Amino acid sequence: MFVASLSITEDKEKMSCFKFLKMMMFCFNCIVFLGGGAILGVGIWVKVDAGSFLDILAELAPQLKQLVNVGYLCIAIGAFLVLIGFLGCYGAVKENKCMLMIFFIIILLIFIAQIAGAVVVLAFSGLADIFIGYIQIWAVKSIKDEYGKSSDMTALWDVVMKEFKCCGFKNFDDFTNSPFYNDTLKKYPQQCCNSQSHCFGADINHSVPGCYRSLLDFLKTNTKVLGIVALGICALEIGAMAASMIMYCQIKKDEKSV
């Protein structure tokens, strides 16, 4: 009698734990699904109705007009989050093993990719140097060829230099012989100058660092914050994988016992 009541108590505890995991899986993935839907909606709106979006940006902050190009990125990220949220919600509510396993595999692949990326960055500094070298070539070339010629590229560099209080990618010399430099009779952007306007080489403020150095300083300053965010994301992923696998195993066990 005692053994039977103990078994019933254990079964109730397992059912309560299972229901709790089911509820948590549903709530978490519902938030992911709704967030993904919102991002997807913004991305579609930007691409379908870009005209009105650009008009709004032009009124609020003209230098942000080039951000319309993030529409495709929003669509991709939103669609991916909607898929993950749907798999998690549907798998939890319907207790569908297939959906739960697909959800687990996707989260596991993301987790492995993050770990692999961290290992590459920490262990293979040579690859990081090559990657940074390619970025430097692109950045300097974009200034030399497009700054002062392309309104989008000019606005993008103006925003970067203003926010990071920097000049060029390496230094002010990146602007030499650029379209802006040639069109303004050999002047440099205001962010590189001692004055509050564009200036000639004699009035360059040599204490203003290049944006590459400013970006590195910003990353070093915020390393702890980035680390905490990364650990938080990893913890959520591990929790999601654990919950989905526990539910999968419990459903499989219940099917065998029937």
Side-chain angles (χ1 to χ4, degrees):
M1 185 75 176
F2 176 75
V3 174
S5 65
L6 183 62
S7 177
I8 293 172
T9 303
E10 289 178 352
D11 289 340
K12 286 182 178 179
E13 289 178 352
K14 287 181 180 179
M15 287 301 296
S16 298
C17 182
F18 182 79
K19 287 180 179 178
F20 175 75
L21 284 176
K22 183 177 179 178
M23 182 183 68
M24 292 301 296
M25 276 284 290
F26 175 79
C27 292
F28 174 76
N29 286 286
C30 188
I31 293 172
V32 172
F33 181 84
L34 293 175
I39 295 173
L40 178 63
V42 169
I44 293 173
W45 172 59
V46 169
K47 300 312 298 181
V48 172
D49 194 21
S52 62
F53 184 70
L54 284 173
D55 292 339
I56 294 171
L57 284 179
E59 292 179 8
L60 297 176
Q63 68 272 25
L64 297 179
K65 287 175 67 177
Q66 70 275 9
L67 292 181
V68 70
N69 296 320
V70 304
Y72 290 119
L73 181 62
C74 288
I75 291 174
I77 293 175
F80 183 72
L81 291 177
V82 166
L83 174 63
I84 293 230
F86 172 77
L87 289 172
C89 285
Y90 187 87
V93 172
K94 296 296 184 180
E95 298 182 9
N96 187 296
K97 291 191 304 178
C98 181
M99 293 292 187
L100 288 171
M101 182 54 68
I102 294 173
F103 175 83
F104 174 84
I105 291 172
I106 291 176
I107 299 297
L108 179 62
L109 291 175
I110 295 172
F111 184 77
I112 292 173
Q114 290 174 340
I115 298 298
V119 169
V120 168
V121 170
L122 294 174
F124 300 100
S125 58
L127 292 177
D129 291 338
I130 293 173
F131 179 68
I132 290 172
Y134 278 119
I135 292 178
Q136 177 174 316
I137 292 171
W138 171 84
V140 174
K141 188 175 186 302
S142 69
I143 293 175
K144 295 284 188 185
D145 297 342
E146 302 294 334
Y147 190 84
K149 179 181 179 182
S150 168
S151 58
D152 288 348
M153 190 59 68
T154 303
L156 176 62
W157 274 108
D158 285 343
V159 170
V160 171
M161 291 191 293
K162 182 179 179 181
E163 292 299 322
F164 287 96
K165 295 180 175 57
C166 57
C167 171
F169 186 79
K170 295 183 295 183
N171 52 49
F172 72 94
D173 195 48
D174 293 340
F175 293 97
T176 303
N177 294 322
S178 67
F180 176 86
Y181 179 87
N182 294 326
D183 292 343
T184 57
L185 302 177
K186 300 184 179 181
K187 284 187 177 182
Y188 293 88
Q190 179 268 323
Q191 290 84 356
C192 307
C193 305
N194 287 310
S195 61
Q196 296 299 314
S197 60
H198 308 317
C199 65
F200 293 104
D203 199 30
I204 289 291
N205 186 350
H206 293 277
S207 64
V208 178
C211 293
Y212 171 65
R213 199 195 325 163
S214 295
L215 181 59
L216 284 183
D217 292 341
F218 173 80
L219 292 175
K220 288 178 181 177
T221 303
N222 295 277
T223 299
K224 289 184 178 179
V225 176
L226 294 173
I228 291 172
V229 171
L231 288 174
I233 292 173
C234 288
L236 286 174
E237 290 170 346
I238 292 172
M241 287 190 292
S244 61
M245 185 50 64
I246 291 171
M247 287 189 66
Y248 175 87
C249 293
Q250 185 61 42
I251 295 169
K252 190 175 181 180
K253 183 179 178 181
D254 292 342
E255 288 179 350
K256 286 183 178 180
S257 62
V258 174

